[in-house]
Amino acid sequence: MKKSLFTLVLLLLVGFHSNAQKVEFEEYDLDNGLHVILHQENAAPLVTVGVMYQVGAKDEVKGRTGFAHFFEHLLFEGTENIERGEWFNVVSANGGRNNANTSQDRTYYYETFPSNKLEIGLWMESERMLHPKIEKIGVDTQNEVVKEEKRQRIDNSPYGKIIYRTGVDKHLFKVHPYGRSVIGSMDDLNAAELSEFIAFNDQYYNPNNATLVVAGDINIDDTKKMIADYFGPIKNRAETNVRTAILEPAITETRYATEYDSNIQIPAYIFSYITPKSVEKDAYVLDYISSILTGGNSSRMYKRMVDKDQVAVQVLAFNQANQDYGTYTMGALIKGEPNWDNLKSTIDEEIKKLQTELISEKEYQKLQNQFETRFVNANSRVEGIASSLATYQMLQGDASRINKELDVYRSITREDIMRVAKQYLNPNQRVEIKYLAGSEPEN
């Protein structure tokens, strides 16, 4: 019954936000440096409490990769006041749900509760920040959990190296830590001492390295008081994580690579490029380009390669803009015996059309409609709004970009699409990966 009621409330929120409305919010800092963002939305009795920490896979040191993602699991183990293994039980007993995720740039934890349980959410996140229990039993337990996740998502999942980029980014980035996978190395995690996990927590899990977002059915004054009570006394154990710019040399001639996957039968041909960081307009233009080339059965590459030429069973594209750099990856799952030269020329012909011909007005209007719908859906629930506010503030330095992003998409012209395709999607700027069935041959 609780689950059904929770789903109904979420659906009510979707209906309320069916149009792109301005997201009103308030932000301020506590004395300890914690940045707070409050968004009041009283349409439904739900509230999301989220905390984003400025630590991701790119902050790890060589030989100890995987720590940021590992902590995403480890910090659910328990605290001084939440017994080990009881975190999820506390959440569900109060009618809520929770999750966490890690990227190259940040780690994010959140709970969504009925709004009368707001204090529970604030207490739990303050406990995670102030009183985490980092013990050998928890480290050993989560080590096995992370290993199983790696097996399921990457090692034993068809095309897992493409989806989770472990077989792509290492060929793109030779200097920047984006070349390492978020899930990291199991050997590194196995070799780490308990003291290293404690030190990692002390370095990064501090108020001055975090953004707290509370979004939903709240009273602003009451919420501020609870935040002051629960988070105000937390002291910092280290300075804010100050990142230095790491420049990745541009790719100036085509790189070639081969990856193997024993879980597949259909090979793939993958092209991947380094592209602009998330704050730049060109990163948004590449979203449009991705949709034009491979966005569904009406996309150009699908109609050309799957329907007409029948050289592929599916086409794919991933445009991912991170804080420092973006990546654009495209390709096809091959039908029949691969003719690599023919596949390459076909893909390049479709790219060339974008570089030399303006898309039609009809195609342009379709794109704008698609992305407006996508934007509205992404911010149709308090969970989405909370995540967006934290992300814009921490990774782009401006939470108000939540109200500017749709205007950025709307400002993109057909000429922008042509220009960006010319600037970033050239053969000498990419990695070409033959993704083959089977195991890598022994040397």
Side-chain angles (χ1 to χ4, degrees):
M1 178 61 72
K2 282 183 180 178
K3 185 175 180 181
S4 300
L5 179 59
F6 198 87
T7 303
L8 176 60
V9 173
L10 289 177
L11 290 173
L12 288 173
L13 272 179
V14 171
F16 184 84
H17 284 285
S18 60
N19 296 310
Q21 300 179 17
K22 183 178 180 181
V23 176
E24 302 286 351
F25 63 92
E26 179 180 344
E27 54 186 331
Y28 61 98
D29 291 325
L30 297 185
D31 290 342
N32 58 15
L34 179 67
H35 191 75
V36 180
I37 305 176
L38 304 179
H39 166 67
Q40 184 174 354
E41 174 56 84
N42 302 119
L46 286 177
V47 63
T48 292
V49 176
V51 181
M52 185 171 287
Y53 293 90
Q54 188 175 254
V55 57
K58 74 179 182 187
D59 298 296
E60 298 159 352
V61 298
K62 188 175 181 181
R64 289 296 181 263
T65 61
F67 267 49
H69 171 259
F70 189 83
F71 264 73
E72 175 197 320
H73 294 267
L74 183 62
L75 293 189
F76 284 103
E77 274 287 304
T79 74
E80 289 183 12
N81 296 299
I82 301 174
E83 290 185 17
R84 183 173 178 269
E86 287 299 307
W87 185 283
F88 298 103
N89 292 334
V90 173
V91 172
S92 60
N94 286 279
R97 66 183 189 184
N98 65 286
N99 213 330
N101 50 72
T102 310
S103 75
Q104 292 282 4
D105 301 313
R106 90 296 179 275
T107 307
Y108 182 58
Y109 305 83
Y110 69 92
E111 291 81 30
T112 299
F113 283 108
S115 54
N116 63 349
K117 300 294 183 178
L118 168 61
E119 190 168 3
I120 295 290
L122 293 171
W123 170 68
M124 295 185 79
E125 286 304 330
S126 69
E127 275 290 299
R128 194 197 307 270
M129 189 182 292
L130 180 60
H131 293 134
K133 275 197 172 180
I134 301 176
E135 301 172 323
K136 187 176 187 305
I137 185 173
V139 169
D140 291 344
T141 299
Q142 295 308 320
N143 207 329
E144 292 305 313
V145 172
V146 171
K147 287 178 183 177
E148 181 59 26
E149 180 181 351
K150 182 176 182 291
R151 284 191 287 266
Q152 289 184 0
R153 292 188 176 184
I154 299 173
D155 299 340
N156 300 325
S157 174
Y159 308 101
K161 291 182 181 179
I162 298 175
I163 296 169
Y164 293 98
R165 307 198 58 81
T166 60
V168 178
D169 287 347
K170 66 182 180 182
H171 302 297
L172 282 174
F173 295 98
K174 300 300 184 181
V175 176
H176 197 284
Y178 282 170
R180 303 192 297 249
S181 72
V182 172
I183 205 164
S185 162
M186 299 302 103
D187 289 340
D188 287 355
L189 293 174
N190 289 339
E193 301 288 339
L194 178 63
S195 60
E196 294 178 85
F197 292 104
I198 294 172
F200 190 89
N201 181 80
D202 288 347
Q203 182 175 358
Y204 294 113
Y205 279 81
N206 295 302
N208 62 4
N209 202 50
T211 294
L212 166 67
V213 180
V214 182
D217 182 28
I218 62 174
N219 175 282
I220 295 291
D221 290 338
D222 292 345
T223 303
K224 284 183 176 181
K225 185 180 184 308
M226 284 187 280
I227 290 171
D229 290 343
Y230 284 108
F231 290 90
I234 303 177
K235 298 186 183 303
N236 294 299
R237 297 174 293 265
E239 297 296 321
T240 304
N241 179 18
V242 177
R243 290 159 165 165
T244 57
I246 301 174
L247 299 179
E248 179 68 32
I251 298 174
T252 56
E253 59 181 51
T254 310
R255 296 176 185 170
Y256 302 93
T258 303
E259 291 285 335
Y260 294 87
D261 189 337
S262 59
N263 302 296
I264 68 169
Q265 294 180 322
I266 301 173
Y269 203 13
I270 305 299
F271 293 176
S272 194
Y273 309 78
I274 296 176
T275 53
K277 58 187 177 182
S278 61
V279 75
E280 295 185 19
K281 179 179 177 179
D282 285 357
Y284 294 86
V285 179
L286 282 158
D287 283 337
Y288 271 17
I289 288 174
S290 177
S291 184
I292 293 167
L293 290 177
T294 59
N297 294 355
S298 62
S299 66
R300 292 185 176 190
M301 281 177 55
Y302 188 95
K303 289 193 290 187
R304 170 79 181 273
M305 301 182 75
V306 179
D307 289 343
K308 182 185 174 204
D309 295 349
Q310 297 186 4
V311 295
V313 295
Q314 188 55 271
V315 294
L316 56 91
F318 307 98
N319 183 46
Q320 180 174 326
N322 291 324
Q323 189 176 28
D324 299 339
Y325 291 97
T327 58
Y328 179 66
T329 302
M330 60 188 298
L333 305 187
I334 301 165
K335 185 175 183 179
E337 190 68 24
N339 183 330
W340 302 106
D341 291 338
N342 181 54
L343 288 162
K344 180 188 298 190
S345 63
T346 300
I347 294 172
D348 280 338
E349 283 173 16
E350 294 303 320
I351 295 173
K352 194 70 175 178
K353 288 178 185 177
L354 278 183
Q355 294 173 331
T356 57
E357 303 172 12
L358 291 175
I359 66 171
S360 68
E361 280 288 353
K362 181 179 180 181
E363 199 169 11
Y364 176 66
Q365 290 300 323
K366 179 182 176 183
L367 277 173
Q368 291 204 314
N369 293 338
Q370 285 177 341
F371 278 84
E372 180 158 352
T373 300
R374 182 185 301 181
F375 175 85
V376 171
N377 289 341
N379 293 298
S380 63
R381 290 162 42 177
V382 291
E383 282 181 7
I385 292 172
S387 176
S388 293
L389 285 168
T391 300
Y392 289 126
Q393 187 277 324
M394 180 168 286
L395 303 187
Q396 298 189 11
D398 182 7
S400 69
R401 286 183 68 89
I402 194 171
N403 294 315
K404 301 172 184 175
E405 185 174 77
L406 188 55
D407 289 336
V408 176
Y409 280 119
R410 287 169 172 163
S411 74
I412 295 170
T413 65
R414 296 187 298 158
E415 288 78 12
D416 284 330
I417 294 169
M418 180 187 292
R419 173 185 57 80
V420 169
K422 283 181 181 179
Q423 186 170 347
Y424 301 105
L425 304 185
N426 297 300
N428 66 324
Q429 295 170 290
R430 73 189 179 207
V431 176
E432 297 181 10
I433 303 172
K434 293 178 180 178
Y435 197 77
L436 305 178
S439 300
E440 184 172 357
E442 296 182 6
N443 293 329

